[in-house]
Amino acid sequence: MATLLNSSFLAACRGERPARTPVWLMRQAGRYMPEYRAVRRELSFLELCRSPERCAEVTLQPIDYLDVDAAILFSDILVVFDAMDVVVEFRPGPTITTPVRTHDDIAKLRFGDPDAELGYVFDAVAACKRALANRVPLIGFCGAPLTTLSYLIEGGSSRDFEHTKRLMFSEPAVFGRLLESMTDLLAKYLLGQVRAGADAIQIFDSWAAAVTPRDYRTHILPHVRQLIDRVRTAGVPVIMFARGNAALLEQIATTEADVIGIDWSIELDDAIRQIGPGRVVQGNLDPMVLLSNPDTIRRRVLDVLEAGRHAKAHIFNLGHGISRHTEPALAKLMVETVHAS
Ligand code: CP3
């Protein structure tokens, strides 16, 4: 039976430089793939997230088609609310029907037990592992404490994070306790994914840039650090991806994260200069480059690979999720270009 011992992705996570730079894509299973759209004609997005065997099918679609070096569990950062009796709908953007705003709302919140209430996610992890048969490692994930909490408070995606920041500035102790409870729930959730078979974990702080660097350091970073430390006790590498704020990289570099995800808003070599040459980086091709043409894609992929040589190790990825308007053949060309150089 195949083993993951020679996985280029896991080697890079450990700080080694495998012969070929490993590559995967954020949101690699999704609407740009016709095979995914076919599954979605049968099931709504949440039905799909709650069907372990179908999750495994969709998780493997980009493994088969793109030949990437890691799989990422098909799920969503918002399914964790199933452990809190908070209802999420996708219309198609995520909507929380009962956002948490007042003291009364906060008092009624229940931070449940992921082991008891998110069993379908752990079943999906196990189904993915069976289907993968050790071809490539499986990445589990969750949203970071701030990102997850902001959906709960704002009731969906937000531009200004008005309610979240009002609470942070006016009642920092209440805000801190909410983040602490959220962090505890997320840690249990990730440890459950690892027990079910996840080989690595990525934490998505998609809305890290909602707060100033100083507020991130004071209010947010301690919880991120706690989450990373708890997951690392399970012995799997942790990738920390904080989107949209190059100004946070030095803070992220003070955590024990094994890999630091770099978004496309900073040049990869500048990012490496900021965090130092001793860290493993992941990123950071602008996903919209994939909307162009083969020559442009090859050129921009080589630029990112060249910059990545300054780091201890480099996992090639996009600087954020792949666009749904991407031509699958061009995503495949990106992967081939990384593997060939
Ligand atoms: O990377 C992967 O392939 C794994 C699957 C994955 C999804 N969402 C599937 C998905 C992952 C890792 C996520 C993470 C996620 N979800 C994040 C963090 C990453 C980021 O983008 O910053 C966030 C913020 C969410 C919340 C979320 N889920 C939003 C805002 C949306 C709506 C997006 C839209 O354009 O409609 C989703 C839905 C979602 N999650 C889809 C997929 C494939 C599209 C659903 C569909 O099929 O209609």
Side-chain angles (χ1 to χ4, degrees):
M1 179 159 142
T3 74
L4 287 173
L5 283 178
N6 49 15
S7 154
S8 59
F9 168 80
L10 290 175
C13 289
R14 290 191 297 265
E16 297 161 21
R17 279 209 163 261
R20 290 199 319 191
T21 303
V23 49
W24 66 281
L25 286 76
M26 288 190 269
R27 294 271 183 108
Q28 63 191 14
R31 287 170 294 189
Y32 76 102
M33 289 191 80
E35 299 87 341
Y36 173 80
R37 294 196 299 271
V39 173
R40 281 280 279 102
R41 281 193 284 275
E42 295 172 48
L43 297 169
S44 76
F45 176 62
L46 282 175
E47 282 167 350
L48 176 53
C49 288
R50 292 177 183 138
S51 311
E53 294 300 332
R54 301 312 297 272
C55 281
E57 175 188 344
V58 166
T59 298
L60 265 75
Q61 287 172 347
I63 310 307
D64 293 330
Y65 178 72
L66 296 175
D67 193 28
V68 280
D69 300 301
I72 181 160
L73 170 70
F74 187 85
S75 187
D76 196 83
I77 62 166
L78 303 180
V79 301
V80 73
F81 294 143
D82 277 350
M84 302 177 67
D85 299 327
V86 169
V87 177
V88 188
E89 289 169 12
F90 285 83
R91 316 170 167 166
T95 309
I96 281 90
T97 43
T98 52
V100 174
R101 304 261 170 88
T102 64
H103 280 151
D104 202 38
D105 299 336
I106 293 171
K108 284 194 196 127
L109 265 185
R110 189 181 68 87
F111 291 88
D113 175 11
D115 287 330
E117 295 170 273
L118 290 162
Y120 66 86
V121 178
F122 307 137
D123 291 346
V125 170
C128 287
K129 286 295 290 180
R130 274 195 304 276
L132 284 167
N134 281 343
R135 279 167 69 192
V136 292
L138 178 69
I139 304 169
F141 69 90
C142 74
L146 169 68
T147 290
T148 312
L149 188 65
S150 81
Y151 276 99
L152 195 59
I153 297 178
E154 303 295 333
S157 303
S158 170
R159 214 181 49 178
D160 300 324
F161 298 90
E162 178 190 326
H163 302 286
T164 309
K165 292 171 79 172
R166 175 189 288 136
L167 187 67
M168 180 179 83
F169 287 126
S170 57
E171 302 194 66
V174 174
F175 184 70
R177 279 197 296 277
L178 275 178
L179 278 173
E180 209 175 281
S181 304
M182 186 60 83
T183 302
D184 182 56
L185 177 66
L186 292 169
K188 291 175 184 154
Y189 179 48
L190 291 179
L191 290 170
Q193 292 184 36
V194 174
R195 272 198 305 276
D199 301 292
I201 291 293
Q202 175 153 324
I203 299 170
F204 288 89
D205 214 350
S206 303
W207 303 118
V211 301
T212 69
R214 193 175 76 176
D215 288 315
Y216 197 88
R217 188 185 304 278
T218 311
H219 297 284
I220 312 299
L221 189 65
H223 303 283
V224 170
R225 195 186 302 286
Q226 163 87 14
L227 183 58
I228 292 170
D229 290 348
R230 278 182 68 181
V231 178
R232 286 185 87 251
T233 61
V236 295
V238 174
I239 307 166
M240 178 64 202
F241 176 70
R243 178 164 70 96
N245 204 336
L248 295 177
L249 284 177
E250 285 174 43
Q251 293 185 43
I252 303 294
T254 70
T255 71
E256 297 292 318
D258 298 272
V259 181
I260 300 178
I262 312 292
D263 81 359
W264 55 266
S265 70
I266 181 169
E267 298 304 330
L268 186 58
D269 41 9
D270 286 338
I272 294 165
R273 259 191 294 280
Q274 276 189 35
I275 64 182
R279 300 301 285 258
V280 181
V281 294
Q282 175 178 281
N284 78 339
L285 185 73
D286 183 340
M288 299 310 165
V289 168
L290 296 185
L291 303 183
S292 66
N293 52 64
D295 282 348
T296 307
I297 293 169
R298 281 195 205 94
R299 195 161 34 80
R300 297 296 291 255
V301 166
L302 294 179
D303 287 348
V304 171
L305 282 170
E306 182 54 39
R309 294 191 214 292
H310 301 285
K312 186 171 188 202
H314 177 208
I315 298 164
F316 194 99
N317 204 315
L318 301 174
H320 191 217
I322 189 168
S323 159
R324 61 185 295 188
H325 305 294
T326 305
E327 183 65 53
L330 292 180
K332 195 174 165 75
L333 173 80
M334 181 201 97
V335 174
E336 285 166 358
T337 307
V338 176
H339 280 160
S341 49

